[in-house]
Amino acid sequence: MNDEDLRLAPRTRAADLLAWAAAEGRTPVAEAPLRTVLALLELGEGRMRDGWPELTSDAVEHLLYERLHLYVQPAPDEDPFAYGEAVRLLVDHQRAAKRLNAKRQERLHAEAEWQGEVAAGLLRRADLVTWPRLYAVLLRAHGVDVTDGAAVRDWLAGFLELAEEDRLDAFAALAEAGWLDEPDEQGWGPGRVLSVGMATDGARRLLEQGLMRRSYRNLAELNALGRPMPDELAGDFGQFEDAAVEAALALCGDWTVPGLPRLLVEEFPELAPEPGPAEIEAYLAQLPQASEPSESPEPSEPSESLESPESSEPPEPSEQD
């Protein structure tokens, strides 16, 4: 085990995969999407083997259909289809390493190509954004230099001074200008804000859990080798949770705008509210009551935002590996 594996954040083998692709004379794949794909696969619930994720139909679907749109916001000059291309490159690499037979390679290749196209569409849907993704689009739409942390902070501070109605209008204008697809008929209102906040909170918690799961998986291997406890796991559990929170914010920044998720959580929470039970109940109390009220009514939009996007065509069922 490499000592770098003991860090919370994944140490992807993107450089090795790119070197292999170059040696094989393959068409280059963009490095940033490749690193993102490898990281999300490692932080999922699939198995790892020698630093590589074990590819299955479920793992490909989980990545491209269920998780990518929670975290990733490509820049305008980045190809949203690159994530599917990265998965296909990994499929071919694992076939070359004799970890997939020809039939599985062909099936996974086809699934990654089709679901990569679906993922590119999901990344444009206004009803599936999280706060970091939405503000990443908004910053670029307003011409902010997202590589300048001070410029990002100053723009957020100015945006905070706007009335809530004006901020909602700015969100809606992203679809009108072609940055995102049109949201559903409900548009940008309290329900949509609640949905985005719940999706953001859920996505970050999933990421934190994946980071902790990765560390515990590596810890089991560490113990088997008789190695000492790493510093990140030697303190109390609260410290470990805090480290996972920090690592999750950093990764979310890598996949949107560096530093942006931390700013939204720590300095500008008013711009990116993440509702708790009280806020959710208050919103539900304002909704018109049905003639025959059902028990424990649930808000439709929040659940739709965090779970698989139901309004798009679901992935075709695939054979089990």
Side-chain angles (χ1 to χ4, degrees):
M1 172 183 279
N2 190 300
D3 288 341
E4 290 293 301
D5 291 332
L6 301 179
R7 297 184 308 173
L8 270 169
R11 187 184 67 91
T12 69
R13 300 188 63 178
D16 295 340
L17 190 50
L18 290 172
W20 173 82
E24 294 291 316
R26 298 178 58 95
T27 302
V29 173
E31 182 175 356
L34 181 60
R35 289 190 181 279
T36 300
V37 161
L38 290 172
L40 285 173
L41 284 170
E42 184 171 353
L43 294 175
E45 298 181 0
R47 298 175 59 184
M48 298 290 294
R49 179 180 176 188
D50 298 332
W52 299 102
E54 291 192 358
L55 291 174
T56 64
S57 296
D58 286 345
V60 171
E61 177 181 331
H62 186 269
L63 168 71
L64 294 176
Y65 185 67
E66 299 179 14
R67 289 294 176 258
L68 193 70
H69 69 270
L70 293 176
Y71 302 108
V72 171
Q73 187 56 55
D77 60 344
E78 294 176 342
D79 183 5
F81 294 96
Y83 301 96
E85 294 174 1
V87 176
R88 296 199 298 274
L89 177 63
L90 180 59
V91 168
D92 292 345
H93 175 267
Q94 294 299 279
R95 168 58 179 161
K98 303 187 184 304
R99 292 178 178 170
L100 298 173
N101 59 35
K103 182 178 179 180
R104 289 181 63 197
Q105 177 196 22
E106 182 180 1
R107 182 171 70 249
L108 290 172
H109 214 279
E111 290 173 355
E113 181 174 6
W114 184 75
Q115 293 193 40
E117 294 176 358
V118 172
L122 299 181
L123 291 175
R124 288 193 52 83
R125 280 181 48 174
D127 61 330
L128 294 179
V129 295
T130 56
W131 288 125
R133 289 191 56 218
L134 180 61
Y135 279 100
V137 176
L138 201 61
L139 285 162
R140 292 183 171 111
H142 285 255
V144 180
D145 181 0
V146 296
T147 65
D148 184 341
V152 170
R153 179 182 282 103
D154 289 344
W155 187 89
L156 291 174
F159 195 65
L160 181 59
E161 295 178 359
L162 298 178
E164 182 179 3
E165 293 80 4
D166 293 332
R167 296 201 296 267
L168 294 178
D169 288 343
F171 298 152
L174 293 173
E176 299 170 4
W179 288 87
L180 295 172
D181 292 338
E182 291 285 350
D184 59 24
E185 63 279 0
Q186 297 185 31
W188 281 95
R192 174 69 60 226
V193 171
L194 187 77
S195 172
V196 176
M198 292 183 68
T200 302
D201 177 71
R204 193 170 61 249
R205 289 179 186 275
L206 284 172
L207 190 57
E208 292 166 8
Q209 293 167 7
L211 288 162
M212 290 190 286
R213 185 168 55 244
R214 176 186 185 274
S215 285
Y216 283 126
R217 182 173 62 231
N218 288 340
L219 180 60
E221 182 178 346
L222 186 73
N223 290 337
L225 296 174
R227 299 271 294 279
M229 179 82 73
D231 291 341
E232 284 178 323
L233 301 181
D236 61 37
F237 186 72
Q239 291 177 324
F240 181 45
E241 284 187 312
D242 291 343
V245 169
E246 292 294 315
L249 287 173
L251 280 175
C252 289
D254 291 342
W255 299 332
T256 52
V257 169
L260 173 63
R262 187 182 305 280
L263 284 172
L264 293 175
V265 168
E266 297 179 354
E267 298 188 31
F268 300 98
E270 301 93 336
L271 293 180
E274 296 180 16
E279 291 83 0
I280 296 172
E281 290 179 5
Y283 170 72
L284 293 175
Q286 298 174 5
L287 297 179
Q289 296 297 315
S291 57
E292 296 182 5
S294 59
E295 295 182 3
S296 302
E298 296 290 342
S300 59
E301 291 195 26
S303 59
E304 179 178 312
S305 294
L306 183 56
E307 299 299 329
S308 300
E310 295 178 0
S311 60
S312 64
E313 183 179 356
E316 298 175 350
S318 57
E319 300 177 14
Q320 295 295 321
D321 292 303

